[in-house]
Amino acid sequence: MNKFIVIDGLDGCGKDTQVNLLAEMYENKGREVVIRSHPCSDNKFGQKSKQALLKTGKINHIKATLYYGLDAIRSVHMYYYNKDTDVLIFSRYTLAVAYLPNVINTIVYKIVSVVLPKSDCMFFLDVSPEESLRRIKSRNEAEEMFENIEALREARSKTKIATYEWNVIPADDSPEVISQKIIKICLESDKKAIG
């Protein structure tokens, strides 16, 4: 694997939009891009995580996070360590642990941030919970357990503790402004890797 990029943030922050813009930029440069948007639909872990997200209660909360983690680990195993992977972009990664109960989330994040690969191109799109909820409601999709103002505020607060190693990008801006910031950091990282 040559280039590893992560785009993470609250629901509605624009992860998929930014992943697609970034993939297009690299593809236009002749690079081969693999995108993994977690939880993924192409395996049982991602499917079970998605099923749990559409339900309520603590058990489903833990199931959604656990299966999500297994899905992300599966992607790391299949693509990060694959020498044929050129550019690997993850939409959602280790910050999902913010949805775990307090204390547990900090411990689990410290473990996964040591065990799982990192990159200088890990981006947290910092959208306000109010803007996040507005964008979620405009999608006309089934509401997941974390897609309410209280859960979004709590998740944003928890992720702020864990994003000290991330590139934090304000995400209330337009997709074009956000994309320019992300691309600039990625291209600077590419130059460092070459030189």
Side-chain angles (χ1 to χ4, degrees), residues 2-160:
N2 295 314
K3 181 80 178 174
F4 181 44
I5 303 167
V6 176
I7 309 283
D8 214 327
L10 297 180
D11 289 344
C13 70
K15 291 181 292 293
D16 291 334
T17 299
Q18 295 308 318
V19 164
N20 291 330
L21 290 169
L22 197 54
E24 182 180 339
M25 185 271 297
Y26 275 109
E27 286 167 349
N28 288 339
K29 292 181 169 292
R31 307 281 300 267
E32 209 170 301
V33 178
V34 173
I35 297 171
R36 300 297 295 164
S37 183
H38 302 104
C40 301
S41 298
D42 64 357
N43 68 87
K44 66 180 178 183
F45 301 128
Q47 293 164 5
K48 287 183 177 190
S49 179
K50 285 184 179 192
Q51 290 167 358
L53 283 168
L54 294 172
K55 300 175 183 173
T56 58
K58 281 191 175 186
I59 297 295
N60 285 308
H61 183 155
I62 292 168
K63 277 184 180 177
T65 307
L66 176 67
Y67 285 123
Y68 169 91
L70 293 171
D71 181 35
I73 290 167
R74 178 184 179 273
S75 290
V76 166
H77 178 71
M78 290 182 69
Y79 299 98
Y80 183 86
Y81 296 108
N82 184 335
K83 291 182 173 131
D84 295 329
T85 303
D86 187 13
V87 177
L88 176 60
I89 305 175
F90 277 13
S91 175
R92 295 182 200 89
Y93 190 40
T94 55
L95 292 179
V97 300
Y99 293 101
L100 289 170
N102 284 332
V103 181
I104 294 171
N105 63 353
T106 306
I107 294 166
V108 173
Y109 183 76
K110 286 182 179 180
I111 293 168
V112 297
S113 67
V114 168
V115 174
L116 294 176
K118 291 187 245 182
S119 165
D120 59 350
C121 289
M122 293 173 63
F123 300 93
F124 176 71
L125 304 184
D126 188 22
V127 67
S128 66
E130 294 75 19
E131 178 61 15
S132 172
L133 189 59
R134 187 193 67 74
R135 292 176 186 177
I136 290 166
K137 289 189 181 284
S138 72
R139 297 189 299 213
N140 294 322
E141 295 175 354
E143 189 175 297
E144 294 178 357
M145 71 171 69
F146 302 117
E147 296 180 338
N148 60 72
I149 196 67
E150 295 82 19
L152 292 167
R153 285 179 179 150
E154 183 179 353
R156 185 182 191 213
S157 173
K158 288 179 180 180
T159 54
K160 289 210 176 251

